[in-house]
Amino acid sequence: MSESEFEKELRQLENLYHRERKELLKKYKGLYAAYCMNELMAIGKTYDEAVAKAWEKKRHVPIFVEKVMPEGEEETWLMVCISKIQNSMEK
């Protein structure tokens, strides 16, 4: 995947999260939502848990991770390195 394709897909995932945020807040406030391949792939109590679950399902990057919080309270995490996932899965 080229850098421009990666960035385009990452923006699409971020936009999808923002479109779905209201519904996510009802069920997952304070948890981490991981998006991959144009869908919500995983929910986790921690960033690492959400990324690991998403990676297990599809083994595809990019993965966009956002802590499900009301607007203005967000924490955005971008998964750009497969080695972080592999290291967390080996533990």
Side-chain angles (χ1 to χ4, degrees):
M1 173 183 292
S2 72
E3 186 175 338
S4 64
E5 291 171 324
F6 183 94
E7 289 174 4
K8 180 181 176 184
E9 188 172 335
L10 194 58
R11 282 190 306 272
Q12 289 172 337
L13 296 171
E14 182 178 11
N15 290 336
L16 179 58
Y17 165 79
H18 288 290
R19 286 193 307 271
E20 296 182 350
R21 182 190 344 224
K22 278 187 177 182
E23 288 302 312
L24 291 170
L25 279 166
K26 293 176 185 177
K27 293 174 69 175
Y28 304 117
K29 184 177 179 183
L31 300 177
Y32 291 84
Y35 282 81
C36 179
M37 300 181 74
N38 289 319
E39 65 180 290
L40 175 61
M41 197 60 54
I43 296 291
K45 292 179 183 175
T46 65
Y47 166 84
D48 289 338
E49 180 184 2
V51 169
K53 285 180 176 181
W55 180 251
E56 284 177 32
K57 289 182 180 179
K58 296 290 183 181
R59 298 197 180 277
H60 179 83
V61 293
I63 297 172
F64 175 84
V65 179
E66 182 89 33
K67 188 172 184 179
V68 181
M69 298 297 287
E71 192 171 340
E73 298 178 33
E74 306 94 339
E75 295 178 23
T76 302
W77 301 85
L78 304 178
M79 197 296 297
V80 294
C81 181
I82 293 174
S83 64
K84 176 155 178 60
I85 295 170
Q86 291 170 336
N87 289 339
S88 70
M89 304 230 5
E90 292 172 1
K91 292 180 182 177

